Structures are given as structure tokens and as C-alpha cells.
Amino acid sequence: MYKKIETEYSLLDDKVFKIFMEDKEIAKIVIEILLDKKIKDLEYVNTEKEVTGLGMERTIRYDVLCKDAEEKYYDVELQVVKQDDLMERFRIYQSLLDKYTIRKGEKEYIKVRETFIIFICNFDLFEDGLAEYNIVNYCIENKKICNDKTNKKIINLKGEKIKNPKVKELIKLFKEKEYNNNDKEIDKLGKRLIEIINSNEFYRRYEVMQTKEMMLIDEGIKIGMKQGMIIKQIEMLKEFKVDEETIINRIQKEYNITKEEVEKYL
């Protein structure tokens, strides 16, 4: 029997999703359903874990990053807006995850941890109608899979072709806010979601996350405007045949940035 969750909030809202997945038991159930495998306990669940690297100026915030007792790592990301560069995102998240999971002093090729990166998408990247896409590395010549301990998966919430009945029930919870109370695990997810969104703590957390989100957007707009002004000013100076050293000195003083930062715009 299906039960409808009467609420304006949805798991398609990344803030609701993150709060929901902070529950260790809930995260374990969701990941086990998505991967169709049992996990030997989650040692921790850490939402929005920041990892820097690869010479990037900004950090990558993982929606949900956790590991099990066997030190296998699981990264679950919610992607509501269509991203054509999703495969490139897989590569970036994988690279940073490797950097985070390999201990200092270890030989990378010996102690590399098995990782699972799951993107829950509200769009069909390949437009084949499948609910699940498993991405692997394989040899082109003999078609054999190369096991490098990386596992990548896309859950397509728009998919009509669904083999795993558990995944079908989970997709229904995400999209339609309905859960099957005859399924023990799905019933637990549905009831826990109701508990969360009906709690005062949820509203407080949601408002804080929303405020932070708006602040990041405002900061991004300001950064974009500043970058635009720098680029335009450099173009004008070049038109007047101003030498590069003078341009660098002028931009440094006006915008209070380093020489290296200015050189990125030249």
C-alpha cells in the first residue's frame, strides 16, 4: 500500500536530501538500494565534506561522503539540473576522492581504496530510458573490464526501464513523495522523511542552509562582476598599447590582487 507524504518539501531539494542523508541508518539503506549490495556498516556519514586539490582555487563540496568498515568510500550526489559535463564531473570527484582517501606516506598503488560515486539525476543523460547506468573502464580491444577499484553510477529518476524493484520504489519516493509501507526498508525511509520535515530542527536547518546558499550566489555574482571588470579594463589598456608590466601593476593596485592572479587574465 502506498502512502502519500503531504508536504511542500521534496528529496529533489538538495537541502532536504542532505538533511535526510545525515541519518546514518537512512544513508546506509539508500546506498544499499542504489548499489544493490550490502554494506558492512557505515563508520560515519559526513555531508558537504570539502576537499581541495588539483590546483583548484575553490573547493568541491560533496553532498554525502561516507565510508564503511572495510574502508570503501561512497559519494552520493544529487543533480537536479541537467549537466552535459556530468562525465567530467565524475572525473573531478574521483580525483579529489582519491586525494582524500590515500593516507600520507602510503604507496598509492597498494593502498588505493575502492570508491563508489553515485549521481542521482533528475534527467536522462544518455536518453535511453534506463533508470540505472553503470560506468566502468574497459579495454577497447578485448572489451574486458579493468578493475581499478572505481565504481561510477547514474540513477536516472526519469527512467522508465527499471530492473530493480527497490530502485523503482526509491525513485517513487523521490519523484512522487509516495512510499510503499509493505516494503520494510522503503517504509522506514518514508516514515523517517516525515519525521524530519515535521521537526522544528528541520526548519531551522533548512533556513540556515538556504541563507548560506543565497550568500554563495551573491558572492559568485560579485566575483563574476569583478572578473568582468578586470577583463574589460585589460582589453582597453591593450588597445591603447600599454605594455604588459604596466597593466599588471595597475590591475594589482586597483583590485588588490597578486601578480599571479592578474596574469591569469592576460
Side-chain angles (χ1 to χ4, degrees):
M1 179 180 176
Y2 286 96
K3 289 196 173 184
K4 182 77 174 178
I5 301 175
E6 301 296 338
T7 178
E8 61 183 296
Y9 298 101
S10 163
L11 285 173
L12 292 178
D13 182 328
D14 65 330
K15 294 177 286 297
V16 178
F17 174 72
K18 288 169 187 173
I19 294 171
F20 182 64
M21 291 290 282
E22 284 178 355
D23 186 309
K24 176 179 174 179
E25 185 180 9
I26 293 303
K28 184 173 182 292
I29 292 173
V30 171
I31 293 171
E32 286 183 337
I33 290 174
L34 296 179
L35 295 178
D36 194 22
K37 69 186 289 289
K38 288 296 180 183
I39 297 173
K40 191 176 178 181
D41 191 33
L42 283 180
E43 291 190 358
Y44 68 84
V45 176
N46 191 356
T47 59
E48 286 205 274
K49 176 70 180 178
E50 294 189 9
V51 181
T52 59
L54 303 178
M56 299 175 70
E57 293 181 0
R58 53 180 294 185
T59 59
I60 292 290
R61 283 189 175 91
Y62 291 100
D63 285 348
V64 180
L65 179 60
C66 48
K67 70 173 181 177
D68 64 18
E70 298 175 337
E71 289 211 358
K72 294 178 181 179
Y73 283 76
Y74 305 85
D75 169 28
V76 187
E77 303 292 328
L78 180 66
Q79 294 285 337
V80 177
V81 180
K82 187 171 183 180
Q83 304 286 350
D84 293 326
D85 64 346
L86 194 67
M87 299 314 298
E88 287 87 347
R89 285 170 178 258
F90 265 121
R91 182 174 175 180
I92 292 172
Y93 277 79
Q94 183 64 60
S95 298
L96 292 175
L97 193 53
D98 286 339
K99 179 179 183 292
Y100 175 71
T101 58
I102 294 172
R103 308 285 185 268
K104 288 184 178 180
E106 291 181 342
K107 292 182 179 179
E108 288 86 346
Y109 60 90
I110 295 176
K111 288 293 186 178
V112 65
R113 270 77 180 175
E114 186 168 10
T115 59
F116 299 82
I117 301 177
I118 307 167
F119 279 88
I120 302 174
C121 302
N122 198 30
F123 56 89
D124 190 346
L125 181 68
F126 301 114
E127 298 183 350
D128 287 328
L130 300 176
E132 301 177 70
Y133 296 105
N134 291 285
I135 316 298
V136 298
N137 295 324
Y138 73 95
C139 176
I140 294 175
E141 285 73 23
N142 59 22
K143 309 301 181 186
K144 290 185 179 180
I145 294 175
C146 304
N147 182 17
D148 58 358
K149 293 187 178 181
T150 64
N151 304 273
K152 306 175 185 69
K153 184 162 193 168
I154 297 172
I155 298 296
N156 169 29
L157 298 178
K158 300 284 188 181
E160 299 289 335
K161 303 170 187 175
I162 310 173
K163 291 183 178 180
N164 187 334
K166 288 274 191 183
V167 171
K168 184 177 182 178
E169 297 293 356
L170 189 59
I171 288 176
K172 195 173 186 68
L173 179 62
F174 269 82
K175 287 176 59 181
E176 302 173 31
K177 293 185 276 190
E178 292 185 2
Y179 67 96
N180 184 354
N181 66 351
N182 290 324
D183 185 303
K184 183 180 178 181
E185 291 174 324
I186 298 297
D187 182 57
K188 185 172 288 186
L189 296 180
K191 287 178 177 175
R192 181 64 183 130
L193 181 57
I194 293 172
E195 288 176 8
I196 289 171
I197 59 181
N198 285 333
S199 67
N200 292 329
E201 177 65 12
F202 168 76
Y203 292 105
R204 186 192 69 78
R205 288 285 313 285
Y206 190 91
E207 288 179 3
V208 169
M209 293 170 79
Q210 197 167 42
T211 301
K212 285 184 178 179
E213 195 174 80
M214 292 305 298
M215 289 172 66
L216 287 172
I217 291 172
D218 289 341
E219 184 181 345
I221 292 172
K222 288 176 183 176
I223 291 172
M225 290 175 65
K226 181 179 178 181
Q227 290 174 337
M229 290 169 66
I230 292 172
I231 291 169
K232 189 172 182 179
Q233 190 166 342
I234 289 175
E235 288 175 350
M236 289 176 63
L237 291 170
K238 284 182 177 180
E239 285 180 13
F240 284 100
K241 309 299 182 184
V242 178
D243 65 274
E244 190 171 287
E245 185 177 348
T246 303
I247 291 175
I248 291 173
N249 290 333
R250 184 165 176 175
I251 297 298
Q252 269 188 272
K253 290 177 182 178
E254 288 194 29
Y255 294 94
N256 192 29
I257 58 179
T258 66
K259 179 182 177 181
E260 288 74 21
E261 288 175 307
V262 179
E263 288 174 341
K264 293 177 182 178
Y265 296 98
L266 295 175

